[in-house]
Amino acid sequence: MQKIDLAKEKNIDQNKILVSDLNQKLAKIKLGGGKSKLEKIRLQGKMTARERVNYLLDEGSESLEIGALAGFEMYKDEGGCPAAGVVVILGYISHKLCVIVANDSTVKAGAWFPISAKKNLRAQEIAIENRIPIIYLVDSAGVFLPKQDEIFPDKEHFGRIFRNNAKMSSEGIVQIAAVMGSCVAGGAYLPIMSDEAIIVDKTASIFLAGSYLVKAAIGEDVDNETLGGATTHTEISGIGDYKAKDDLDALKRIKALVQKIGDNPRAGFNRIKSAIPKKKAEEIYELLPFDKALPYDTYQIIDCLVDQNSTEEYKSDYGKTIITAYARIDGWAVGIVANQRKIVKNKKGENQFGGVIYGDAADKSTRFIANCNQRKIPLVFLQDVTGFMVGSKAEHNGIIKDGAKMVNAMANSVVPKFTVVMGNSNGAGNYAMCGKAFDPRMTLSWPGSKIAVMGGEQAAKVLMQIEKSKLQKEGEKIDPKKEKKLLKEIKSRYDKQTRDYYAAARMWTDAIIDPIETRKWISIGIEAANHSPIKRKFNMGILQV
């Protein structure tokens, strides 16, 4: 009789529950403003945002949705903002990899919330970094006025989108816009600053001010169609390049235009025929602990992600709390930098805690990152890190210096970087392992992962001491029972802010993904990056050796 490993069974159950919960949330988000509003769009003779995107994508091709969870559980007083009111897809149109940005008019008439602007800027950033075409499917009522102070005037607000339009055009990054509904006020500049603009007859309009505002401002009586409809802009103003009879006609035009785009020079990242991993991807459910504080062997996770027999480990017997290895993912050559999550022994036979970055591990990683840059190999960071080692011994051995060298090498890396948060991503460990601040081409997280300045237990105790001191100064007595209750409340609040969904809602990560989809995301990510040749040399600047 086969012995049942209860811990593994618990891991499988817990991870499958997390993935199921993710899929349920995504299914609800894809309904946008709800079934009734989707049906209303169709009754107007229009396609929904996701129907438009799906028609553009090549049948049977792979695609990635960026920021599906943007806005999750935000703006509750305003009724919510599913997917930030905009659908962003990285996928193939006429066999060319493109970014597609589609306003969802079922969410507050496609109005722009602060998170909508952040998501649109992220879409443009992907197009700019990878030098791939970007397609705008415009159907928006403009800025959500109650939040205008959070979206209008700052550097990374709404205006940055038009600045990016201009920059992309000057750099030859193709932008095609199809106006398929409302396009008003400042938003009217986006399609016109694109290389080519399509406008759908009768259902679309472009103007700085609608008929009601025109009447109020200058007393002119004019209807919206005469003011800024397809006929006006393709026959009189010359703003539109093509008039489409309906949504389908506009989308066909986009496909035809993209089909004729020529090829540009490539980065030349190495790829051979793909091979299946040594372990099945589904085994990640078994290997990843249900409790994120528990140890596990990261080598086994790597065996689920990389092509079989492709791994060449670098300095395997040194700095063991970080694994550095050359490998392949879906045929692409990659450099893996991964936190080892089980306890290991150093060269002196001393135990080193899993997930902690020690000086020797940081030193090894620095050299490995430099090697990958010299050989034009993209880097994949697999994060499950609690931070750098602390204490007098670590400080005397120069942990800050070693950590600084690792951060320097990673930050100055010229090859594309991809970050996967498998479990924990804490403190300076987040930075050293290529957190969002260090421009990874993609930042992905697995369900149940956490991003925080420190672990929940430690942070709650620190915050508790601060709160306790404050209350005591105000003359309030804290008995053990009240202290326990207060600690629980603080930890609950802190834990919420560290959750994967909290991060994804604010676009700190591009997506929460099912672990078995990781290879696909990284492979398409590298293919996108391969469109952009490396233009500068790797240089780490000044270092304390």
Side-chain angles (χ1 to χ4, degrees), residues 27-35 37-38 50 81-83 104 106-107:
K28 186 176 180 181
I29 285 167
K30 287 178 181 179
L31 294 175
K35 290 182 180 179
K37 289 186 178 179
L38 290 170
R50 291 185 181 277
C81 186
D104 186 349
T106 69
V107 179

Side-chain angles (χ1 to χ4, degrees), residues 247-259:
D247 282 8
L248 206 60
D249 189 33
L251 297 172
K252 287 178 179 176
R253 175 81 67 175
I254 291 170
K255 289 178 122 178
L257 291 171
V258 171
Q259 187 184 45

